[in-house]
Amino acid sequence: MAVVAVAAGRLLRLRAAAAEGRWHRWRGDAVARSFLQPASARKDAAQLRQVAHFTFQPDPESHEYGQTQKMNLFQSITSALDNSLAKDPTAVIFGEDVAFGGVFRCTVGLRDKYGKDRVFNTPLCEQGIVGFGIGLAVTGATAIAEIQFADYIFPAFDQIVNEAAKYRYRSGDLFNCGSLTIRAPWGCVGHGALYHSQSPEAFFAHCPGIKVVIPRSPFQAKGLLLSCIEDKNPCIFFEPKILYRAAVEQVPVEPYNIPLSQAEVIQEGSDVTLVAWGTQVHVIREVASMAQEKLGVSCEVIDLKTIIPWDVDTVCKSVIKTGRLLISHEAPLTGGFASEISSTVQRWFFLLLLLKQHLQGWGCGSSGSALAWHACGPGSILSTTYQQRCCVRRELKSKY
Amino acid sequence: MRKMLAAVSRVLAGAAQKPASRVLVASRNFANDATFEIKKCDLHRLEEGPPVTTVLTREDGLKYYRMMQTVRRMELKADQLYKQKIIRGFCHLCDGQEACCVGLEAGINPTDHLITAYRAHGFTFTRGLSVREILAELTGRRGGCAKGKGGSMHMYAKNFYGGNGIVGAQVPLGAGIALACKYNGKDEVCLTLYGDGAANQGQIFEAYNMAALWKLPCIFICENNRYGMGTSVERAAASTDYYKRGDFIPGLRVDGMDILCVREATRFAAAYCRSGKGPILMELQTYRYHGHSMSDPGVSYRTREEIQEVRSKSDPIMLLKDRMVNSNLASVEELKEIDVEVRKEIEDAAQFATADPEPPLEELGYHIYSSDPPFEVRGANQWIKFKSVS
């Protein structure tokens, strides 16, 4: 560890020297300041309400898994569920309003295809839905439960944390509810306000025994959902609701799996590591391209995908390379999952890390307001990167 | 010349007669009150129910008519503003259910308490807020009752606890308010409302048990409008006799489209609670014309014919109007005049709601905690700070 520390220290100084030059160069630049100012300083903030704070960036088409079809997020979910029900005769889908197709159309056509015994509605009772799902899974059936909005998952919190997560452990592996998957629409949508916008992944991150997965795109969603369903642990699959229609990609028609607990480096870079999940991945990608264009900063973008158990190695390897880490999520700051990531990274790389920064949603809770949205957008993150670099420069000067 | 004068005088005489007939109408005697028969309520664990006849005074009748018409027009105006994208987010309208909110208010005192779920605009009005404040809250402006930060689902007033988004979560709250009523000893009751969809939530049964165990003055009211979002009651509930679901709590099933029926049942239930006998359950059978919310057209799970039938046979405003006119409590013209006044009031309120400024950005962080002195809340990055004053 000491050797690492020494090497890290040397690396730190080298890095600083190279970077100094770059900073000097643009310090005197007439860089347009407007986009670097915090959003609240801008007078036109209110008018930007009509504009989404990101652009979905589809991945290039993959021919690895056979023929593909153009699908949006909810269609890719339907496809995954269709594949599951076809493959596994014990698979059932249940939740509020799933029979007619679901409020976000994720289960359209499945009841007609597989029958009302396998795709059925439940009454309005989240605690009952999850408890019932656990029971079903314990007998060995594949239970796919839907909670209509992630904001409503809290009545079921006890069932998830106390029953589902601990079943295998407390029975000494005699019983388990690994074939349970809970799906819920997640995240900001613009008009959702307090109860249709929440990102509760951090609450569940504190619970060993379950897995929490959040896809960024239709291709990822189908592969990850199929992996969750087949995984032998209870999984919660959060679907970014704003991407249901907005995200369109070529998605394989046949089933395929994307492994859980493996983060993906979407874009390689050398100056700073940007980590996000779900919708924010697209914001971060835009930030990366803006940073490259306007500041000459090379960003490495990582999609975390699985919140717990999370891929510590990929993130840490990236931080060794860049020396800087920035994490962005919609959920509130305190106790948000970024805190876990940053404290883990800091624990391992205390001397290496120049400055880590995390950006999160409003400390006041919901990031559903349109104004909050905009502030989470690329311009605001970029301003942070700019100011972060000023801080780093000042710190380096004082330390070395 | 003489012929012309004669013709002119004939015309003038004819013209003079019209004002005279209007004077006749104004001085026509209306009845002071009238007795009506109302539908008998189905009872659960009760020996007697509310009376089957009731007296309606002219004054009360006009008041109820005006209130119901105001709620109706306010909801329709909200519909219009939503379609113009002046109101955004979620908007759950209660037109068709006016007899519930006005009838309940008629059966209790202003010092009693009420809590409901998200279909709350009517209750916000009957509990004392003005249409201006309600519409301004819907449009998210400063003049709104929650300062523009609450919106459709989060409106509050004195002795009115909202306005709650999570289905069923307001029922244990209502039981708690009822405990406070009992504790304070001021003879107050708490009306705790929920819908037919929420009736299947576990926490409702927990609240029933607590209220019955401790004999809380809580009137549980299930507003059964036959559909929980898009799910009809038959497909959601093993027992659609919602008034019996309290099991050990006595219940009554009330025709929620008849304001007099609702009023009598509420009076009966309030008297029951005030006498210290414990909680009671009321099921109001009612109907909503709009879909679940403005994003729901409302016709994919029920037929237009069904909606039309309810509108033509059981519309609460129409029922009251017919009763009043037929018993000489009011004239059609008088009620039309009220309609015109109400329309004007709603127009003015809508004007205000559209023109009022939005709350200032500085207030975004207010009222998170109660704390003195104010503290800072971080925005989306650490250089954006909001002061949290409370």
Side-chain angles (χ1 to χ4, degrees), chain A residues 311-334:
Chain A
D311 187 353
V312 180
D313 286 347
T314 303
V315 176
C316 287
K317 273 203 194 90
S318 175
V319 175
I320 292 177
K321 190 167 73 162
T322 64
R324 294 176 192 86
L325 175 64
L326 186 152
I327 311 157
S328 180
H329 61 62
E330 288 174 19
L333 166 64
T334 308

Side-chain angles (χ1 to χ4, degrees), chain A residues 38-40 49-50 97 103 121 123-126 148 151-152 191-192 194-196 333 357-364 369 371-372 375-376 380 383-384 387-388 391, chain B residues 82 85 88-90 153-154 164-167 197-198 200-203 206 228-231 235-237 358 361 364-365 368 377-386:
Chain A
S40 59
R49 164 207 308 239
Q50 314 294 338
D97 300 304
V103 287
N121 283 340
L124 222 169
C125 46
E126 288 75 21
Q148 200 156 79
D151 313 55
Y152 308 154
H191 54 274
L194 291 175
Y195 300 122
H196 295 78
L333 166 64
Q357 197 59 43
H358 37 126
L359 300 182
Q360 286 89 13
W362 303 110
C364 64
S369 82
L371 294 168
C376 278
S380 156
S383 78
T384 303
Q387 283 149 349
Q388 167 193 335
C391 286
Chain B
Y82 193 92
K85 293 200 198 273
R88 314 193 71 218
F90 294 94
M153 289 196 270
H154 307 111
N164 295 284
I166 301 295
V167 167
N200 301 315
Q201 274 274 325
Q203 45 196 331
E206 293 180 12
M229 230 162 73
T231 306
R235 293 194 299 126
E358 287 177 351
L361 188 59
L364 191 64
I368 298 172
V377 174
R378 200 191 92 145
N381 64 49
Q382 78 248 45
W383 292 280
I384 302 176
K385 290 264 199 253
F386 292 96

Side-chain angles (χ1 to χ4, degrees), chain B residues 17-49:
Chain B
Q17 268 161 27
K18 278 192 200 131
S21 66
R22 222 174 269 149
V23 168
L24 276 171
V25 166
S27 69
R28 180 175 126 193
N29 280 326
F30 290 113
N32 239 351
D33 54 49
T35 310
F36 296 104
E37 274 181 22
I38 50 178
K39 201 164 142 193
K40 187 171 181 320
C41 296
D42 294 326
L43 303 173
H44 170 69
R45 288 185 187 264
L46 283 168
E47 296 297 322
E48 290 176 358

Side-chain angles (χ1 to χ4, degrees), chain A residues 168-294:
Chain A
R168 190 188 290 276
Y169 186 85
R170 73 175 189 255
S171 69
D173 204 17
L174 206 59
F175 287 103
N176 71 80
C177 55
S179 54
L180 171 68
T181 305
I182 302 167
R183 295 176 36 243
W186 168 100
C188 269
V189 71
H191 54 274
L194 291 175
Y195 300 122
H196 295 78
S197 312
Q198 289 177 44
S199 314
E201 70 272 10
F203 291 108
F204 296 100
H206 192 56
C207 176
I210 52 170
K211 295 194 177 181
V212 177
V213 178
I214 308 175
R216 70 169 185 272
S217 71
F219 175 82
Q220 293 292 318
K222 178 167 168 174
L224 288 168
L225 180 56
L226 283 167
S227 296
C228 283
I229 293 171
E230 286 158 27
D231 192 279
K232 294 195 174 25
N233 296 289
C235 295
I236 304 179
F237 188 75
F238 286 128
E239 301 160 3
K241 61 174 86 69
I242 198 174
L243 296 180
Y244 274 138
R245 283 180 201 273
V248 182
E249 258 184 345
Q250 294 291 123
V251 179
V253 174
E254 291 301 308
Y256 61 98
N257 290 83
I258 294 179
L260 301 183
S261 297
Q262 275 189 30
E264 185 185 338
V265 178
I266 302 176
Q267 185 183 308
E268 300 229 348
S270 55
D271 294 328
V272 57
T273 301
L274 308 178
V275 176
W277 49 89
T279 318
Q280 278 296 99
V281 173
H282 304 289
V283 178
I284 285 290
R285 271 168 134 167
E286 230 173 295
V287 168
S289 58
M290 281 168 83
Q292 181 67 65
E293 194 188 307
K294 299 190 203 267

